[in-house]
Amino acid sequence: MQCINRSCKTLVAVVINLSNRSFVAPDRLRALFSTVKMSLEQAKQVAASRAVDEFVTNNCIFGVGSGSTVVYAVQRLAERVETENLKVTCIPTSFQAKQLIVKHKLVLGELDTNPEIDVTIDGADEVDSNLTLIKGGGGCLLQEKIVASCSKKLIVIADYTKDSAKLGDRYKKGIPIEVVPMAYVPIRNKIAALYGGELKLRSAVAKAGPVVTDNGNFILDWLFTNQDLDWETVDRDIKMIPGVVETGLFVKMCHKAYFGHPEGNVVERS
Ligand SMILES: O=C[C@H](O)[C@H](O)[C@H](O)COP(=O)(O)O
């Protein structure tokens, strides 16, 4: 872990050198970036394992969140199911989550048969000091919010870079808003008129045109400018606009958050 810290410091030095226009060998730079990325993955993994160890119990109904951090939670869950012979029914929050459940040979459930979930473990794009969340960086906000709303507890797992005092301090891509495709322009205008900022239709990476969600909708990313808004009111106001399906604002839903650090420690907030 000291090695990771050293690498982070070296990377900072490299960036300073770059800004001073000193020469840096590309291979060395690539290696440093990859070390920092590795340490972020380790941070996600320790947070995920801690949450699964603390909240998953025998016979529980378990909501499986979406995103890269949740991958580690499902891996840890599969280990525990195997070694402790646990019975856990998993409710997915996305196509990705469903694939993870199937890949790890876990029991797949659905809200039709399990409308009450004991605990859901999910990632987040940003978590503020009140446990208000921005979610939906991966486009899964709608099913994530439905599953969270059916859960006795929503537990967030994240690396330390998601831990924020105020929304917008660290996550710069805005608040995702899932909308019915035909309404994206009027919705964009109405939100800008209500609260300001800029709304961008999210573009797909390996496809021409916009991202289409698991539910066949579009995503607007709202780059808000006022960080001191009452997020509960904002969430309600935006959802009143016809054509808005859901927002990535999760207010008063999160029970506890675990932030993993590269050194292996986990900071908890509840
Ligand atoms: O739509 C995606 C979800 O809200 C994710 O939980 C969120 O984007 C965090 O993902 P990651 O764990 O990859 O940072």
Side-chain angles (χ1 to χ4, degrees), residues 171-216:
Y171 188 64
K172 303 295 181 190
K173 295 183 183 168
I175 296 172
I177 299 167
E178 183 158 347
V179 302
V180 171
M182 69 169 286
Y184 89 91
V185 172
I187 291 170
R188 198 171 61 183
N189 296 345
K190 285 172 186 171
I191 294 173
L194 264 177
Y195 286 112
E198 192 189 348
L199 290 107
K200 290 189 172 163
L201 180 63
R202 193 181 294 180
S203 298
V205 178
K207 161 191 172 282
V211 163
V212 178
T213 68
D214 287 356
N215 321 293

Side-chain angles (χ1 to χ4, degrees), residues 6-31:
R6 259 201 312 276
S7 299
C8 289
K9 280 178 193 152
T10 317
L11 183 59
V12 170
V14 166
V15 172
I16 291 167
N17 276 343
L18 278 176
S19 62
N20 291 338
R21 295 172 193 280
S22 309
F23 173 75
V24 181
D27 283 352
R28 178 92 181 107
L29 198 54
R30 254 198 302 278

Side-chain angles (χ1 to χ4, degrees), residues 115-175:
E116 282 180 26
I117 297 169
D118 293 304
V119 62
T120 291
I121 295 183
D122 203 345
D125 299 301
E126 192 168 30
V127 184
D128 79 4
S129 53
N130 299 317
L131 291 177
T132 299
L133 316 175
I134 295 180
K135 288 185 51 55
C140 305
L141 59 152
L142 172 59
Q143 293 184 36
E144 287 178 338
K145 208 186 256 189
I146 294 170
V147 170
S149 75
C150 299
S151 306
K152 289 179 195 148
K153 285 178 181 162
L154 169 64
I155 308 301
V156 162
I157 49 174
D159 66 71
Y160 64 100
T161 65
K162 315 289 185 67
D163 183 356
S164 196
K166 282 184 180 183
L167 295 187
D169 276 354
R170 305 192 80 164
Y171 188 64
K172 303 295 181 190
K173 295 183 183 168
I175 296 172

